[in-house]
Amino acid sequence: MAYVSGRTGEISACGGDMSSLLRDSTLNTMSADLKTTASNGREKSLTPQEQQAKINELRRLIGSLSDKSSIYCSDASISRYLIARNWNVKKAAKMLKESIKWRAELKPEEIHWEDIAHEAETGKIYRSNYIDKLGRTVLVMRPSRQNSKSIKGQIKYLVYCMENAILNLPPAQEKMVWLIDFQGFNLSHISVKVTRETAHVLQNHYPERLGLAILYNPPKFFEPFFTMVKPLLEPKTYNKVKFVYSDDPNSKKIMDDLFDMDQLESAFGGNDETGFDISKYAERMKEDDKKMPSFWTRSNSSSAAAHEAPPIDSIRLSSDSEDSDNEKKGLSPTHGMDAEIIDTDQLGNQEDRNVTASGHQNEE
């Protein structure tokens, strides 16, 4: 996983650019940042009518789709791809085309608990039984509990967790929260390969899904690691990561603002000392697995309707004049973390991020 760290006064190892960034987001301003909308990295401002026109244009480019792809390509889903590409229709269509192919090959909706149970045994990633104050699903991550050397297995489990978190999002809510606990973490848990693949999956196939990442007590040695992986991230991503330390009063206020402390786990400063129980968690996931087939067979007339457009494979989705900035610069496909590891905008301006809230749970 792509985890980073940095504490006020301990950021020199990251270089000048990173130092400036983290100085702007120190713990002294984090609480205020949670309630305000950052101007950096914000998407192009469009009226609802203009947004819908872009959605319709992209839908015409994509053309006819299979049943599952049609369900996936709801207006809300398409809008997330457009936001990730700053409302550039051709770039968003290219991105969505790649996701459709990826989903057809991996079939993430068909991954069941039994397929990944061995990856989940240690509680390295799990959906918590509480939500934040915006109703967002919370994924807890403990990288020190990594129990697998299989990159394919780790990514498959991550995808399962993402799909499950999305399945459990309430209507009108599109994003989730990550709580990353660094207790027991050391250098042996760092994997650049896993970080790169994780970034690739999240940025390309789950755009605008992650609302906020809380890095809880991250160690200082993550600073040079961040220097290596920061080419995978876009500037707006930095604004949405929150570094939280158990010994800092301002950090405690961040957690108080986000969570009901009686529900929050004691590992994150809350009052719930229940802890992770793999047996109980397995039962929860098996029950959720039963919901998935009906989730993917629901009719979605707005997204399933046929459109008079060429098949997706016949479309040239980008031109020399409209290549992405990454392609122009010769950067790797994982450059530009459009999938957003984090986003705090919703704490103050939740509504303006969604084009359509209705039918939200009909897509991932």
Side-chain angles (χ1 to χ4, degrees):
M1 308 301 295
Y3 307 119
V4 298
S5 76
R7 185 192 291 257
T8 305
E10 298 179 344
I11 55 179
S12 59
C14 296
D17 292 342
M18 190 58 194
S19 296
S20 297
L21 172 66
L22 289 180
R23 277 198 299 269
D24 291 339
S25 300
T26 61
L27 291 174
N28 291 330
T29 61
M30 281 183 179
S31 181
D33 289 346
L34 287 171
K35 298 178 180 178
T36 59
T37 300
S39 59
N40 290 337
R42 288 299 302 273
E43 68 272 8
K44 186 187 298 182
S45 178
L46 300 177
T47 66
Q49 293 77 13
E50 290 171 332
Q51 293 176 12
Q52 189 62 52
K54 295 280 189 180
I55 291 170
N56 295 342
E57 183 181 352
L58 191 151
R59 194 181 291 286
R60 285 193 294 272
L61 280 179
I62 295 300
S64 299
L65 297 169
S66 67
D67 289 343
K68 286 184 178 180
S69 293
S70 294
I71 294 171
Y72 181 73
C73 292
S74 67
D75 280 6
S77 182
I78 289 174
S79 73
R80 285 192 296 274
Y81 283 83
L82 285 164
I83 291 171
R85 290 295 177 260
N86 202 23
W87 297 96
N88 183 301
V89 174
K90 284 193 174 182
K91 291 179 182 179
K94 180 180 179 181
M95 184 183 185
L96 181 54
K97 175 188 175 183
E98 291 169 351
S99 284
I100 291 170
K101 288 184 175 181
W102 176 80
R103 295 187 70 87
E105 293 172 0
L106 184 63
K107 295 180 172 58
E109 74 281 357
E110 296 181 13
I111 302 174
H112 299 119
W113 175 255
E114 291 77 10
D115 302 324
I116 48 78
H118 58 289
E119 292 280 349
E121 290 175 350
T122 59
K124 63 185 179 184
I125 310 177
Y126 60 89
R127 179 172 63 82
S128 70
N129 57 9
Y130 53 89
I131 55 179
D132 79 342
K133 290 182 178 179
L134 288 178
R136 295 181 291 192
T137 302
V138 176
L139 283 183
V140 174
M141 301 182 175
R142 292 192 164 94
S144 67
R145 298 187 182 182
Q146 181 58 259
N147 62 336
S148 170
K149 294 183 179 180
S150 168
I151 296 178
K152 183 177 179 180
Q154 292 177 48
I155 297 301
K156 188 174 183 179
Y157 181 49
L158 172 67
V159 168
Y160 176 84
C161 292
M162 291 294 294
E163 297 286 315
N164 180 267
I166 292 167
L167 177 70
N168 285 279
L169 283 171
Q173 181 55 262
E174 295 193 314
K175 301 189 179 185
M176 66 191 73
V177 174
W178 284 10
L179 276 179
I180 306 170
D181 181 7
F182 282 88
Q183 183 178 10
F185 189 85
N186 57 52
L187 288 170
S188 69
H189 298 119
I190 292 178
S191 171
V192 175
K193 289 183 178 179
V194 174
T195 299
R196 183 178 296 278
E197 184 61 22
T198 298
H200 176 77
V201 169
L202 293 175
Q203 75 169 11
N204 289 305
H205 307 309
Y206 294 98
E208 300 294 319
R209 276 303 190 185
L210 297 176
L212 176 70
I214 295 289
L215 277 59
Y216 200 79
N217 288 332
K220 189 177 183 295
F221 66 74
F222 246 81
E223 293 164 4
F225 177 67
F226 181 85
T227 301
M228 288 193 301
V229 302
K230 74 175 183 178
L232 303 178
L233 310 174
E234 280 193 345
K236 73 173 184 177
T237 300
Y238 307 143
N239 297 328
K240 300 170 185 177
V241 174
K242 296 300 172 186
F243 301 99
V244 172
Y245 300 91
S246 57
D247 60 355
D248 189 282
N250 291 319
S251 290
K252 185 178 186 305
K253 187 175 189 315
I254 291 173
M255 303 305 279
D256 285 339
D257 288 344
L258 282 169
F259 301 103
D260 181 337
M261 300 306 285
D262 287 334
Q263 297 179 356
L264 184 67
E265 298 170 57
S266 57
F268 298 103
N271 301 323
D272 185 354
E273 299 183 358
T274 304
F276 177 75
D277 185 316
I278 184 60
S279 299
K280 293 181 179 178
Y281 189 68
E283 292 305 312
R284 286 176 61 201
M285 295 302 100
K286 290 176 184 178
E287 288 300 312
D288 280 353
D289 285 352
K290 295 176 183 178
K291 304 174 187 176
M292 198 63 78
S294 60
F295 182 87
W296 284 101
T297 55
R298 295 173 183 172
S299 61
N300 188 333
S301 58
S302 63
S303 60
H307 300 277
E308 294 182 0
I312 189 169
D313 286 326
S314 69
I315 301 170
R316 186 168 186 259
L317 291 171
S318 64
S319 65
D320 293 339
S321 62
E322 292 193 85
D323 283 343
S324 69
D325 294 337
N326 294 345
E327 292 167 334
K328 289 178 181 178
K329 296 176 182 178
L331 298 176
S332 67
T334 54
H335 181 84
M337 194 63 164
D338 293 302
E340 293 191 356
I341 292 182
I342 32 39
D343 180 6
T344 58
D345 292 346
Q346 294 185 48
L347 286 167
N349 296 279
Q350 184 175 355
E351 298 85 359
D352 65 357
R353 303 288 294 181
N354 303 328
V355 175
T356 55
S358 60
H360 161 70
Q361 286 185 305
N362 286 345
E363 97 281 336
E364 299 177 37

